Amino acid sequence: MNWGITVSLLVREVDIAVALAVVSPRHGTYHVAFSEGSHHPITQGAAGLALQAAEPERATDSEQIRDVRKLGYAQTFGQVEENMHGLAVPLKLGAGQPFACLNAITVREQHAADSAKTLQRIGAELSRIIRI
C-alpha cells in the first residue's frame, strides 16, 4: 500500500479517538501528516465509527455503526479534516484490551477504498498477535 496513505493505530480514550502510532509514506508527492497523540471526538471520522463498532453491540447503536460491523470498515470524507478521505477498520483485541482501530487517511477517495482489504488483513493479524 504505497498510495500516499498515512496509516495510524487509534484507541478510544473516553469519548476521544487518540493516535498511538502513525506511519506516513516516505515517498510520493502528497500525503497527510499528523503525529502520535493527535486526537478528535469519537463522533467524527472513520476512526470514530470504527472505534464505536469495536465495542460490544448495544440496542442503541446507530444504523451507521451496525453497517461498519457488517462491512468490517468505515469510510468518511471531510469529517475530521477538510478534503481528507478516511477508512478505518475496527480491531478485535479481546477482553481487557482498549477499543482500537487501524485508520488510513488520504487525499484520494479511491485509494482509501482500495485500502480496505489490506487494512482488514493487517488488523486481523494484529488482533491475533495481541491476543497471544
Side-chain angles (χ1 to χ4, degrees), residues 2-54:
N2 189 11
W3 305 308
I5 294 176
T6 297
V7 177
S8 57
L9 171 68
L10 290 101
V11 295
R12 182 173 184 158
E13 195 171 286
V14 188
D15 288 334
I16 304 290
V18 180
L20 292 185
V22 179
V23 179
S24 297
R26 292 188 178 149
H27 306 290
T29 308
Y30 299 102
H31 66 272
V32 181
F34 65 99
S35 56
E36 289 86 4
S38 295
H39 59 278
H40 64 276
I42 198 78
T43 56
Q44 294 179 339
L49 291 170
L51 288 169
Q52 291 177 72

Side-chain angles (χ1 to χ4, degrees), residues 51-73:
L51 288 169
Q52 291 177 72
E55 298 176 0
E57 292 183 37
R58 290 186 291 249
T60 57
D61 286 339
S62 69
E63 187 66 33
Q64 196 172 25
I65 299 302
R66 288 191 288 273
D67 287 345
V68 172
R69 287 191 185 107
K70 286 180 208 168
L71 290 172
Y73 65 89

